[in-house]
Amino acid sequence: MSRLCLALCLLHVALCIPAGADQYPRQPGIDVERYVFRLELAEGTREIRGEADIYLVFKADGVSEVFLDLIAAKAGAAGGMVVSSVADAGGSVGYVHEGDRLRVKLGTPGNRGSRRRLTVSYAGVAADGLLIGPNKHGDLVFFGDNFPNRARQWLPVLDHPSDKAAVEVAITAPEAYQVVAPGLLVENTNLPGNRRLTRYRESVPITTYCMVIGVGRFAMEAIGQVGGAPVQSWVYPQERDAGFRDFRIALRPMELFSWRVGPYPYEKLANVQSKTRWGGMENASVIFYREGVVTGKGTNEGLFAHEIAHQWFGDSVTESDWDHTWLSEGFATYFTHVYQEYTAGRDAMARGLRRDRENVIAYFAKNPASAIVTPATVSLDNILSTNSYQKGGWFLHMLRRLVGDEAFWRGVSTYYARYRDGNALTDDFRRVMEEASNQPLEAFFRQWVYAPGQPTLSGTWTWAGGVLTVNIRQVQAGDTTYDTALDIGIVAAPGQAPSVQAVRLDRREQSFSFPLDKEPSGVVLDPNVWLLMQAGEFTRK
Ligand SMILES: [Zn+2]
């Protein structure tokens, strides 16, 4: 992956194409609006034959070339694609396929606002990105597994989340196989030679990493609808009963998030047992789960909640630069906790948050310079870090505490409504939350999102003469002094729930006094799990 990054950086310099913080060379002169992929799959070969229509709109005048990402076949390489022709509006045009980029010379330059269709014909073996092989039952299956930048292994695309597009796939495969893909099923035709043509159309723009297919023997069950979108379970037929039972859980997170955030963004949701390399992969409207997801005991509810939350955050509202991956993973992590909160209660949520907090602290100990957003060090190797997931989730939790439930949920809904089917960056989210809460949040975002670390709190408490005095010290290494709310929990008697006094920390050492008639049995910091803090020594003096 680092070698690829180097190649892209060099290309970026050579072509003077502006790049984002993640160094992907942007093409501001074009926007892909829709892809149509026609693919032929067969038994007994790993070769695929493909034709891709790329419908684009020009965003500038005089655009004479277009670059697409597509891994090229090379001597000694395990796979790669060979392009046989490229057409511009039906007429053959020149192209160069080098460095895993397909440089297309347009027949005539494109001007702002005009549209064009390019057609790329190609064939080859995908070394990655399209997994072809036996599943756990020995049946041949084909699964796209594109995240983060592996669509280019088998599809000619502008392979970056900032360019989302509608997509249609037309798969010709052996007749015995079913096909699942993003969007609605629009054709299912038996062809001569025991083959079958299946077409799906996704009319909502999605990222290329979500443009996948699943082809094989499946058992499919329609389990209901949420907001008019059919919800389906696709499992291996050998695991039909257990799989159908497990996958019915999908309706609950869909209903919760539709209510909390806004309408489900796609025309359907298929939950699919698959060979994805991830635990689950949130492909828009067609989530792929790992093969072992079926247990028959409903043990993967959190995984379903996580991937389903991604349909809103990551899939529908997508980070436009990879270093803002927390806008996808942090949200999915937090919404899994929210799902717990609603279905199992606040204590269950707090258990998950405590576990995440331990992970964040441990990760920070090993990566003391790494923040949730660290543009200088972004690479595709480290976007899926504890910072993107657990610290991103914790940030949302603390933001909710800061602005209050009502403003938080109003802001999250507005953020979704405003950036639905599009892209956003952290500042876009901040601005929406500032509007919703009517308070400036720049310092809060700077402290938690753009700076590494968290406070370590130590201190003492005393009770004398009807007054409880709590002394708190911020003892974390470095110069940072945190400005944050802290709950002090006062336990009247052993076993009782603490009563809470909220204070504001903004200095290295502070004392707080509370009138208290009776001597408390204990004092605890952050009893309700609202602060990302490392616990130092806190004792009675
Ligand atoms: Zn995720």
Side-chain angles (χ1 to χ4, degrees):
M1 206 169 287
S2 56
R3 277 183 62 210
L4 177 68
C5 177
L6 182 63
L8 292 177
C9 298
L10 292 173
L11 199 65
H12 154 56
V13 172
L15 298 168
C16 297
I17 297 171
D22 59 19
Q23 299 302 312
Y24 182 84
R26 307 294 208 269
Q27 297 177 68
I30 62 159
D31 174 25
V32 179
E33 292 185 310
R34 185 159 74 97
Y35 295 98
V36 179
F37 302 115
R38 293 177 287 277
L39 298 172
E40 276 196 50
L41 309 175
E43 287 169 322
T45 174
R46 297 188 66 241
E47 189 184 66
I48 61 165
R49 310 189 67 78
E51 206 171 61
D53 291 335
I54 298 116
Y55 293 84
L56 50 90
V57 58
F58 294 104
K59 297 289 188 185
D61 290 331
V63 177
S64 59
E65 347 180 275
V66 168
F67 291 83
L68 297 167
D69 300 294
L70 181 66
I71 301 296
K74 292 176 268 293
M81 296 294 150
V82 175
V83 175
S84 54
S85 72
V86 180
D88 175 0
S92 189
V93 293
Y95 61 91
V96 178
H97 195 188
E98 260 177 16
D100 298 329
R101 301 203 94 201
L102 181 65
R103 177 182 188 169
V104 178
K105 295 183 186 309
L106 299 176
T108 55
N111 288 323
R112 183 188 296 271
S114 65
R115 288 181 160 71
R116 198 70 66 84
R117 185 193 76 214
L118 306 178
T119 302
V120 178
S121 301
Y122 64 102
V125 172
D128 194 4
L130 180 63
L131 315 175
I132 303 175
N135 66 10
K136 64 189 277 202
H137 300 290
D139 290 343
L140 180 65
V141 289
F142 307 71
F143 283 110
D145 201 34
N146 293 351
F147 190 86
N149 63 343
R150 293 181 293 143
R152 67 188 71 176
Q153 298 274 350
W154 58 293
L155 302 172
V157 285
L158 213 153
D159 200 11
H160 190 269
S162 61
D163 195 325
K164 300 169 79 172
V167 64
E168 181 176 323
V169 296
I171 304 297
T172 302
E175 199 170 41
Y177 297 151
Q178 298 190 62
V179 176
V180 65
L184 291 176
L185 179 67
V186 292
E187 182 177 355
N188 199 343
T189 299
N190 290 107
L191 300 176
N194 298 324
R195 294 176 311 148
R196 191 214 302 249
L197 170 66
T198 313
R199 282 197 300 136
Y200 279 86
R201 186 179 297 143
E202 175 59 77
S203 61
V204 176
I206 63 174
T207 62
T208 52
Y209 71 67
C210 287
M211 294 179 185
V212 296
I213 56 170
V215 182
R217 284 164 37 76
F218 287 106
M220 192 282 271
E221 181 183 41
I223 59 170
Q225 295 203 344
V226 174
V231 183
Q232 305 161 350
S233 306
W234 293 65
V235 298
Y236 298 152
Q238 294 89 340
E239 295 169 74
R240 173 182 175 276
D241 294 352
F244 283 176
R245 200 158 58 240
D246 284 348
F247 279 34
R248 279 179 202 133
I249 194 66
L251 294 172
R252 286 181 87 190
M254 283 189 79
E255 281 160 359
L256 173 65
F257 302 150
S258 301
W259 168 68
R260 259 316 14 166
V261 181
Y264 176 73
Y266 303 109
E267 297 106 323
K268 70 119 191 277
L269 177 63
N271 292 289
V272 185
Q273 185 179 19
S274 81
K275 276 176 68 77
T276 179
R277 67 157 68 161
W278 315 103
M281 179 56 219
E282 67 266 20
N283 309 304
S285 83
V286 53
I287 299 172
F288 286 181
Y289 299 86
R290 66 178 183 271
E291 289 200 316
V293 71
V294 175
T295 62
K297 298 179 186 133
T299 42
N300 288 298
E301 201 172 351
L303 176 64
F304 275 76
H306 179 104
E307 304 307 337
I308 289 171
H310 269 308
Q311 303 295 305
W312 283 261
F313 301 108
D315 292 353
S316 183
V317 181
T318 307
E319 63 276 20
S320 46
D321 220 334
W322 281 121
D323 55 333
H324 295 252
T325 295
W326 83 276
L327 292 173
S328 174
E329 297 302 349
F331 275 69
T333 301
Y334 190 56
F335 275 73
T336 306
H337 292 312
V338 169
Y339 179 75
Q340 281 280 309
E341 182 184 16
Y342 277 87
T343 57
R346 183 62 168 66
D347 286 352
M349 182 199 212
R351 275 195 297 279
L353 286 163
R354 280 198 195 92
R355 203 167 47 234
D356 283 4
R357 186 163 61 186
E358 293 307 314
N359 288 334
V360 172
I361 290 165
Y363 184 81
F364 171 68
K366 290 189 188 133
N367 303 273
S370 169
I372 294 178
V373 176
T374 316
T377 61
V378 71
S379 94
L380 292 185
D381 296 332
N382 68 14
I383 55 172
L384 299 182
S385 72
T386 303
N387 279 337
S388 295
Y389 285 77
Q390 285 86 353
K391 194 175 181 190
W394 251 101
F395 172 72
L396 290 173
H397 186 58
M398 291 190 290
L399 179 61
R400 178 176 170 187
R401 159 71 194 260
L402 178 70
V403 302
D405 260 26
E406 197 194 322
F408 179 79
W409 288 115
R410 193 170 57 243
V412 166
S413 296
T414 305
Y415 171 66
Y416 171 64
R418 196 169 295 171
Y419 296 100
R420 180 176 172 171
D421 305 334
N423 290 100
L425 289 172
T426 302
D427 270 353
D428 298 316
F429 177 59
R430 175 181 57 78
R431 279 189 288 269
V432 172
M433 296 311 290
E434 285 177 339
E435 282 169 34
S437 65
N438 202 23
Q439 59 177 295
L441 295 170
E442 256 190 61
F444 185 76
F445 273 67
R446 202 165 43 242
Q447 173 173 284
W448 293 110
V449 177
Y450 295 100
Q454 63 281 320
T456 305
L457 302 186
S458 289
T460 55
W461 66 273
T462 55
W463 183 85
V467 176
L468 171 69
T469 303
V470 180
N471 182 271
I472 307 280
R473 281 175 289 123
Q474 298 193 25
V475 297
Q476 64 275 2
D479 300 332
T480 306
T481 302
Y482 283 84
D483 184 344
T484 180
L486 170 71
D487 285 343
I488 295 173
I490 303 161
V491 184
Q496 280 192 13
S499 67
V500 169
Q501 293 281 348
V503 299
R504 179 179 175 180
L505 300 185
D506 58 359
R507 277 173 286 147
R508 278 272 166 171
E509 182 159 5
Q510 284 165 279
S511 276
F512 305 94
S513 297
F514 313 97
L516 198 66
D517 296 339
K518 270 184 63 184
E519 181 177 5
S521 78
V523 176
V524 288
L525 303 184
D526 190 37
N528 296 326
V529 199
W530 280 111
L531 180 61
L532 177 56
M533 58 169 248
Q534 187 165 0
E537 199 176 322
F538 183 72
T539 53
R540 180 170 196 162
K541 197 163 141 188

